[in-house]
Amino acid sequence: MSVLDTAELEAMIEEATVDAYNEDEQLAGLFTMLEEHLDLPFTTAVLGVEVTVRGVDLTPEGRIVALCSRGGARQSIGILELPLPSPAPDGAEWIEAYRHWAG
Protein backbone atom coordinates (compact mmCIF):
# COMPACT_ATOMS: atom_id res chain seq x y z
CA MET A 1 0.00 0.00 0.00
CA SER A 2 1.35 3.39 -0.89
CA VAL A 3 1.82 5.95 1.83
CA LEU A 4 -0.67 8.77 1.46
CA ASP A 5 -0.01 12.24 2.79
CA THR A 6 -2.42 14.13 5.03
CA ALA A 7 -3.96 16.12 2.17
CA GLU A 8 -4.72 12.93 0.22
CA LEU A 9 -6.27 11.26 3.27
CA GLU A 10 -8.37 14.32 4.03
CA ALA A 11 -9.56 14.46 0.41
CA MET A 12 -10.65 10.81 0.66
CA ILE A 13 -12.45 11.52 3.94
CA GLU A 14 -14.18 14.52 2.33
CA GLU A 15 -15.31 12.29 -0.55
CA ALA A 16 -16.70 9.69 1.85
CA THR A 17 -18.43 12.17 4.17
CA VAL A 18 -19.62 14.89 1.79
CA ASP A 19 -23.30 14.47 2.72
CA ALA A 20 -22.77 13.51 6.37
CA TYR A 21 -24.30 15.67 9.09
CA ASN A 22 -22.81 13.98 12.16
CA GLU A 23 -20.14 11.53 13.26
CA ASP A 24 -22.37 8.46 12.79
CA GLU A 25 -23.09 9.46 9.20
CA GLN A 26 -19.38 10.11 8.60
CA LEU A 27 -18.58 6.63 9.90
CA ALA A 28 -21.24 5.15 7.63
CA GLY A 29 -19.72 6.97 4.65
CA LEU A 30 -16.24 5.64 5.40
CA PHE A 31 -17.66 2.14 5.89
CA THR A 32 -19.41 2.35 2.52
CA MET A 33 -16.15 3.31 0.80
CA LEU A 34 -14.36 0.38 2.46
CA GLU A 35 -17.17 -1.97 1.47
CA GLU A 36 -17.08 -0.75 -2.13
CA HIS A 37 -13.32 -0.46 -2.67
CA LEU A 38 -11.53 -3.04 -0.50
CA ASP A 39 -10.61 -6.02 -2.69
CA LEU A 40 -12.05 -9.06 -0.91
CA PRO A 41 -11.36 -11.78 -0.03
CA PHE A 42 -7.69 -11.63 0.96
CA THR A 43 -5.50 -13.58 3.34
CA THR A 44 -3.42 -12.22 6.18
CA ALA A 45 -1.86 -13.46 9.40
CA VAL A 46 -3.44 -12.76 12.79
CA LEU A 47 -1.31 -13.79 15.76
CA GLY A 48 0.72 -16.00 13.45
CA VAL A 49 -2.30 -17.81 12.00
CA GLU A 50 -3.39 -17.35 8.40
CA VAL A 51 -6.98 -16.14 8.07
CA THR A 52 -9.16 -15.08 5.17
CA VAL A 53 -10.82 -11.69 5.35
CA ARG A 54 -14.17 -12.24 3.66
CA GLY A 55 -15.90 -8.94 4.36
CA VAL A 56 -16.28 -5.86 6.52
CA ASP A 57 -19.10 -4.89 8.82
CA LEU A 58 -20.23 -1.92 10.87
CA THR A 59 -21.11 -2.95 14.43
CA PRO A 60 -23.95 -1.45 16.46
CA GLU A 61 -21.22 -0.01 18.73
CA GLY A 62 -19.86 2.03 15.81
CA ARG A 63 -16.75 0.01 14.90
CA ILE A 64 -15.71 -1.16 11.47
CA VAL A 65 -14.59 -4.78 11.68
CA ALA A 66 -13.03 -7.28 9.31
CA LEU A 67 -14.93 -10.57 9.04
CA CYS A 68 -12.23 -13.23 9.23
CA SER A 69 -12.43 -16.99 8.88
CA ARG A 70 -10.20 -20.02 9.11
CA GLY A 71 -11.79 -23.37 8.40
CA GLY A 72 -15.11 -23.29 10.25
CA ALA A 73 -14.03 -20.64 12.75
CA ARG A 74 -15.16 -17.05 12.32
CA GLN A 75 -13.91 -13.93 14.12
CA SER A 76 -14.50 -10.20 13.78
CA ILE A 77 -11.38 -8.08 14.20
CA GLY A 78 -11.32 -4.30 14.35
CA ILE A 79 -10.18 -3.12 10.92
CA LEU A 80 -7.64 -0.77 12.53
CA GLU A 81 -6.08 -3.71 14.43
CA LEU A 82 -5.97 -6.00 11.39
CA PRO A 83 -2.44 -6.66 10.14
CA LEU A 84 -2.42 -6.23 6.37
CA PRO A 85 -0.49 -8.52 4.05
CA SER A 86 2.30 -7.23 1.86
CA PRO A 87 1.36 -6.16 -0.69
CA ALA A 88 -1.87 -4.83 0.75
CA PRO A 89 -5.08 -5.52 -1.19
CA ASP A 90 -6.45 -2.89 -3.53
CA GLY A 91 -8.59 -0.40 -1.66
CA ALA A 92 -6.58 -0.69 1.58
CA GLU A 93 -5.96 3.06 1.39
CA TRP A 94 -9.53 3.43 2.71
CA ILE A 95 -8.38 1.74 5.93
CA GLU A 96 -5.74 4.46 6.24
CA ALA A 97 -8.33 7.16 5.57
CA TYR A 98 -10.52 5.65 8.31
CA ARG A 99 -7.52 5.51 10.67
CA HIS A 100 -6.79 9.20 9.97
CA TRP A 101 -10.45 10.12 10.54
CA ALA A 102 -10.62 8.09 13.78
CA GLY A 103 -7.49 9.94 14.89
Side-chain angles (χ1 to χ4, degrees):
M1 178 170 59
S2 64
V3 177
L4 301 174
D5 65 29
T6 300
E8 292 170 312
L9 292 171
E10 290 176 0
M12 291 174 72
I13 293 166
E14 177 64 25
E15 178 184 353
T17 62
V18 68
D19 293 325
Y21 292 104
N22 59 39
E23 193 171 291
D24 289 340
E25 289 181 5
Q26 291 175 3
L27 178 62
L30 287 160
F31 169 72
T32 299
M33 292 306 230
L34 267 167
E35 195 174 42
E36 289 177 2
H37 295 285
L38 188 60
D39 191 18
L40 298 167
F42 65 89
T43 59
T44 191
V46 175
L47 298 175
V49 176
E50 186 174 283
V51 299
T52 301
V53 178
R54 301 208 178 274
V56 292
D57 197 11
L58 182 57
T59 70
E61 298 80 30
R63 291 182 61 222
I64 298 176
V65 295
L67 305 175
C68 303
S69 65
R70 177 180 164 97
R74 306 232 181 297
Q75 179 72 43
S76 296
I77 298 173
I79 197 87
L80 298 181
E81 290 81 39
L82 183 72
L84 292 175
S86 183
D90 288 344
E93 65 272 11
W94 284 103
I95 297 172
E96 291 309 310
Y98 173 50
R99 182 182 318 279
H100 184 76
W101 176 83

